[in-house]
C-alpha cells in the first residue's frame, strides 16, 4: 500500500524494518516480521561465532521465504569480535541485505557492496549519513535522540534530525527512534523518510524471544522511564529505568567515577540474563522513549497490519480532511 524506494530496494511489501538488536534479533522475531511484510534483521553478534551465525541464517530460511537481513554492529571495543569472519559468514550465506551500524564501516561496506549486497547503514547524525552515502550505501537509517541503544552525543531528536538529513541525503532514508505506531510512521514519511526502523516496539511482540516480564515492563514504562548512561564515556546509551540502570546513573554521577566502577552492572551477559529470565535486577534492559506509546503485546503481523491500516486512514481521512476544510475567510 505504501510503495517507496525502500520497498523497491528491499523487496518488501511494507517500508517497515526491524533494526539489529543484541540478544533479540534471532530467527523467531526476524522471520515473523519478514512473513508479515516487513524486513526482519538478524543480529550477527548475538551468535557466539561466525559458524553459529551461518546456522542461524539457515534456521531463519526454514521459517520464511521472504527477504530478511543481517545486522553487523561495529563496536569501539577493546576485544573486538572477529568482524572479517562474521562478514565472510554473511557473504558466503548468500544474504542480500545487511544493516551496518557503528564505527568505521568503510571496509565492511565496500566488501558487502562488492558482493552485490544492499547495505543499510544506521547512524545518528547528518554528517555520518553523508559519509556513509559517499561509501556507497543504498539506504540510510537515521536514529533520533529518542531511540533505544546508542543515540550519540548530539542530542537531536527525530523531528529535526530526519528532515535535516532529508535535506542533504540523496539515497532513501529510514526514520528510526521513537516510532511505534501509525502516527510515527506517517510523520516519518512527512519528514522526508521513505520508511521506518523500529526496535523497542518489536521487543513487545509475541514472537520476540524475550521473557514476558520484560515485555510487560515495556508496556508499563512510560516515556520518561529511560536513562541515558555512559554519557561521561562519550558512548551514550539509552536504557529502561530499572534498579540496575538507577544504580549505574548513581555511580556514574560521582566526580571520580571510571568505567570499571559500573562494568559489573552493564556487562552484556547480564543484560542477556535479564531479557531471558525476566529478572530486571540481573542487568540492563535497553528500551527507548517510545515505550510510553506501547500498551500491548501483539503478534508482528497484527502490529504491522495495524500500522499500515491506521496509516492509510490517517493519510486518507484525517490529513485529507484537514486539506478539505478550507477556512471560512479563504472561502469568502
Ligand atoms: C534491546 C535492543 C538491543 C539493540 N541492540 C542493537 C545492536 O546490537 N545494534 C544496533 O545497531 N542497534 C541496536 N539497537 C537499536 C535498534 O536497532 C534501533 O535502532 C532502535 O531501537 C530504534 O529506536 P526505538 O527503540 O525507539 O525504535 C537495539 C535496540 C534494542 C531495543
Amino acid at each position: 500500500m505504501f510503495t517507496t524506494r525502500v520497498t523497491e530496494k528491499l523487496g518488501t511489501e511494507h517500508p517497515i524494518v526491524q533494526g539489529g538488536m543484541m540478544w533479540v534479533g534471532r530467527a523467531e522475531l526476524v522471520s515473523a516480521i519478514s512473513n508479515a511484510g516487513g524486513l526482519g534483521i538478524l543480529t550477527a553478534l548475538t551468535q557466539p561465532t561466525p559458524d553459529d551465525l551461518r546456522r542461524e541464517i539457515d534456521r531463519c530460511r526454514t521459517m520464511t521465504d521472504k527477504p530478511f537481513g543481517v545486522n553487523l554492529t561495529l563496536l569501539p571495543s577493546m576485544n573486538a569480535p572477529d568482524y572479517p569472519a562474521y562478514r565472510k559468514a554473511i557473504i558466503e550465506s548468500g544474504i542480500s541485505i545487511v544493516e551496518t551500524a557503528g564505527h568505521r564501516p568503510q571496509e565492511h561496506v565496500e566488501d558487502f557492496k562488492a558482493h552485490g549486497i544492499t547495505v543499510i547503514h544506521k547512524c545518528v547524525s547528518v554528517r555520518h549519513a553523508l559519509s556513509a552515502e559517499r561509501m556507497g550505501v543504498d539506504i540510510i537509517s537515521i536514529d533520533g535522540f529518542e531511540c533505544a541503544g546508542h543515540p550519540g552525543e548530539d542530542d537531536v531528536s527525530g523531528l529535526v534530525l530526519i528532515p535535516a538529513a532529508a535535506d542533504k541525503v540523496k539515497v532513501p532514508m529510514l526514520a528510526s527512534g521513537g516510532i511505534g505506531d501509525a502516527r510515527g510512521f506517517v510523520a516519518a514519511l512527512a519528514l522526508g523518510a521513505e520508511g521506518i526502523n523500529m526496535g523497542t516496539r518489536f521487543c513487545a511482540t509475541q514472537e520476540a524471544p524475550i521473557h514476558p516480564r520484560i515485555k510487560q515492563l515495556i508496556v508499563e514504562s512510560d516515556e520518561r522511564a529511560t536513562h541515558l548512561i555512559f554519557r561521561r564515556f562519550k558512548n551514550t546509551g539509552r536504557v529502561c529505568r530499572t534498579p540496575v540502570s538507577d544504580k549505574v546513573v548513581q555511580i556514574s554521577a560521582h566526580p571520580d567515577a571510571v568505567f570499571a566502577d559500573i562494568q559489573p552492572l552493564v556487562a552484556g551477559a547480564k543484560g542477556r540474563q535479564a531479557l531471558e529470565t525476566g529478572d530486571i535486577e540481573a542487568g540492563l534492559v535497553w528500551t527507548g522513549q517510545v515505550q510510553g506509546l506501547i500498551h500491548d503485546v501483539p503478534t508482528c503481523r497484527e502490529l504491522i497490519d495495524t500500522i499500515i491500516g491506521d496509516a492509510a486512514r490517517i493519510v486518507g481521512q484525517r490529513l485529507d480532511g484537514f486539506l478539505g476544510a478550507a477556512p471560512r475567510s479563504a472561502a469568502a
Side-chain angles (χ1 to χ4, degrees):
M1 196 183 299
F2 289 89
T3 302
T4 69
R5 286 187 293 165
V6 164
T7 51
E8 281 161 11
K9 279 184 186 264
L10 299 181
T12 55
E13 191 181 346
H14 308 301
I16 298 181
V17 173
Q18 164 247 316
M21 288 190 279
M22 199 60 185
W23 310 126
V24 185
R26 300 178 188 271
E28 288 77 11
L29 179 65
V30 170
S31 60
I33 292 167
S34 289
N35 284 333
L39 184 81
I41 296 188
L42 292 172
T43 307
L45 300 184
T46 292
Q47 301 303 321
T49 68
D51 278 341
D52 289 304
L53 176 60
R54 287 173 208 265
R55 282 188 281 275
E56 188 70 354
I57 291 169
D58 289 345
R59 196 164 77 89
C60 199
R61 286 204 172 109
T62 67
M63 298 162 84
T64 184
D65 54 8
K66 299 278 172 56
F68 66 90
V70 177
N71 162 284
L72 190 63
T73 301
L74 306 160
L75 303 161
S77 154
M78 288 206 287
N79 302 313
D82 188 351
Y83 285 119
Y86 277 98
R87 191 172 78 220
K88 194 160 176 259
I90 293 168
I91 293 169
E92 288 180 355
S93 296
I95 285 292
S96 60
I97 302 167
V98 164
E99 179 195 55
T100 54
H103 296 245
R104 303 182 196 287
Q106 180 129 18
E107 74 171 274
H108 305 283
V109 169
E110 282 171 2
D111 201 13
F112 289 133
K113 288 306 303 168
H115 287 87
I117 293 173
T118 299
V119 179
I120 304 170
H121 182 68
K122 190 168 61 198
C123 55
V124 294
S125 70
V126 177
R127 62 191 185 284
H128 290 144
L130 290 172
S131 80
E133 188 178 52
R134 283 193 295 274
M135 285 173 206
V137 306
D138 302 275
I139 295 173
I140 293 290
S141 186
I142 192 149
D143 257 329
F145 186 49
E146 306 91 330
C147 72
H150 291 280
E153 313 306 318
D154 294 348
D155 304 0
V156 181
S157 58
L159 200 58
V160 169
L161 184 63
I162 295 154
D167 280 344
K168 297 199 170 148
V169 170
K170 292 189 183 58
V171 297
M173 288 196 324
L174 293 163
S176 180
I179 302 172
D181 59 29
R183 296 169 297 182
F185 176 88
V186 173
L189 300 185
L191 293 173
E194 295 186 43
I196 58 166
N197 179 65
M198 301 191 294
T200 306
R201 177 64 270 199
F202 280 125
C203 290
T205 59
Q206 292 294 324
E207 296 92 342
I210 59 182
H211 197 281
R213 268 205 297 273
I214 300 296
K215 298 178 188 179
Q216 198 52 32
L217 172 71
I218 296 173
V219 168
E220 284 167 9
S221 300
D222 71 14
E223 62 278 11
R224 294 169 305 160
T226 66
H227 273 311
L228 294 171
I229 57 170
F230 307 155
R231 284 240 100 164
R232 65 187 301 158
F233 310 112
K234 301 233 177 311
N235 185 27
T236 298
R238 188 183 293 283
V239 295
C240 193
R241 193 189 291 168
T242 62
V244 177
S245 64
D246 281 343
K247 209 158 171 196
V248 171
V249 168
Q250 190 196 333
I251 295 171
S252 305
H254 194 280
D256 300 326
V258 291
F259 191 72
D261 298 335
I262 54 168
Q263 199 160 19
L265 294 168
V266 304
K270 297 255 176 90
R272 176 183 188 178
Q273 199 185 329
L275 287 180
E276 290 178 359
T277 64
D279 176 8
I280 60 163
E281 311 260 349
L284 292 174
V285 177
W286 294 75
T287 63
Q289 294 176 331
V290 72
Q291 64 189 2
L293 305 178
I294 298 174
H295 311 300
D296 57 2
V297 183
T299 65
C300 290
R301 182 171 292 282
E302 285 163 351
L303 176 65
I304 290 177
D305 284 353
T306 303
I307 290 176
I308 294 298
D310 288 353
R313 274 186 290 279
I314 291 173
V315 175
Q317 294 172 18
R318 182 176 160 81
L319 300 187
D320 201 48
F322 291 154
L323 210 52
R328 281 175 193 280
S329 55

